[in-house]
Amino acid sequence: MTQTTGKQFRILSFRDSPDVLRAQFKRWSTRTYYSSWLCYQTRANQRNPFLYMYSALIALTLRRLTTLPTCFTLIASYVGLQVYLTLAGLAFACNKAVVDHPEIFKEDYEEYFNRPYNEFFLCADENNQVLGCVAMTKPNTDYPVIELRRMRIAKHVRGSGLSRQLMDVAIDFARQRGETKVGLTTAKVQVAAIKMYERYGFHLAHIRKMGRIGMLPGFDIIIHRYELLL
């Protein structure tokens, strides 16, 4: 596949990537999956009023049962609850990865990305450092929608236009295959990503609750489904 050259990076198919880039990407992909998930979850927790409500209730209980000062119980309750939610979120992410990202746990990594219904694009600089990726996947030829997944951008190149370039390459791939609709799912807390999808022309199809972090009411994981007609 023809490479697309940008100011600081290039985009190429996983099939056409050199071995050194493939090996570097495997490590980068697994690491960014979990770090991105935890980053978004922590940000969502901090915006959630239930975090502070539960922290206050725990602090009040500790204050009644112990002689610890109020400021200490408040801090300890907040930090402890954050740690609990982080660990619970990590467990949820691991379980989700087994279903949604089996390639993370597969030894035949190349075989997964080289399936006839999958296409995977990597961004890399001149030193073969991975800067981002996006996947287009489809379970089979009869499936009515091709799915855009795994859109990830390295932190230091966000805002450079790389995400738009990746999106252009992915959508062009779908059009060349004769697809008529592209779908994607994203978490409600991914505000920046949602704004980018909407600017590109994706429309909200439906919203669903996928799960709950730590079994605590108020910490539901809300998933948005977006679609784009080609």
Side-chain angles (χ1 to χ4, degrees):
M1 183 169 292
T2 304
Q3 297 182 5
T4 304
T5 304
K7 182 177 180 180
Q8 302 175 8
F9 40 75
R10 68 187 190 279
I11 300 177
L12 61 160
S13 167
F14 186 85
R15 296 181 178 89
D16 301 333
S17 303
D19 291 341
V20 63
L21 182 56
R22 290 191 183 200
Q24 202 265 350
F25 170 74
K26 293 177 188 178
R27 297 188 294 270
W28 183 87
S29 177
T30 304
R31 183 176 64 253
T32 55
Y33 172 79
Y34 292 111
S35 62
S36 297
W37 180 271
L38 292 177
C39 178
Y40 287 127
Q41 181 205 322
T42 300
R43 189 181 306 165
N45 291 343
Q46 292 172 346
R47 295 173 179 171
N48 193 333
F50 281 94
L51 173 66
Y52 306 98
M53 183 186 73
Y54 287 133
S55 297
L57 289 174
I58 295 172
L60 181 61
T61 302
L62 289 174
R63 187 69 183 89
R64 290 180 176 179
L65 296 177
T66 68
T67 58
L68 295 172
T70 302
C71 60
F72 179 84
T73 58
L74 283 170
I75 295 173
S77 299
Y78 176 82
V79 173
L81 187 57
Q82 277 279 40
V83 171
Y84 168 71
L85 290 170
T86 297
L87 294 176
L90 183 59
F92 185 92
C94 289
N95 182 66
K96 183 175 182 293
V98 172
V99 177
D100 292 347
H101 303 286
E103 74 280 1
I104 290 177
F105 303 94
K106 290 172 68 70
E107 294 182 0
D108 52 343
Y109 207 88
E110 284 81 2
E111 184 274 334
Y112 178 86
F113 286 124
N114 285 326
R115 290 176 184 173
Y117 307 121
N118 290 349
E119 185 58 271
F120 205 83
F121 299 100
L122 308 180
C123 296
D125 61 17
E126 62 276 6
N127 297 318
N128 282 328
Q129 295 298 308
V130 177
L131 303 178
C133 62
V134 65
M136 298 297 282
T137 66
K138 200 172 185 180
N140 54 65
T141 54
D142 297 326
Y143 194 72
V145 181
I146 189 167
E147 299 289 323
L148 187 147
R149 301 177 65 183
R150 296 177 65 88
M151 169 72 81
R152 296 191 190 126
I153 307 295
K155 288 184 178 180
H156 66 283
V157 292
R158 290 175 186 173
S160 65
L162 176 55
S163 58
R164 177 78 186 198
Q165 187 174 338
L166 271 173
M167 186 74 76
D168 288 341
V169 172
I171 298 303
D172 285 345
F173 169 79
R175 287 197 176 101
Q176 291 171 9
R177 287 176 54 110
E179 304 292 343
T180 59
K181 184 186 291 186
V182 178
L184 65 88
T185 56
T186 187
K188 179 182 178 181
V189 297
Q190 294 178 296
V191 178
I194 288 175
K195 289 181 179 179
M196 181 192 70
Y197 298 139
E198 291 177 341
R199 285 196 302 268
Y200 205 89
F202 282 85
H203 68 276
L204 182 62
H206 60 80
I207 301 173
R208 66 183 175 90
K209 184 175 74 172
M210 188 174 68
R212 178 175 288 175
I213 297 295
M215 302 302 291
L216 291 175
F219 288 91
D220 298 329
I221 299 174
I222 307 300
I223 297 298
H224 288 190
R225 170 71 178 180
Y226 281 85
E227 293 180 347
L228 174 68
L229 296 177
L230 302 180

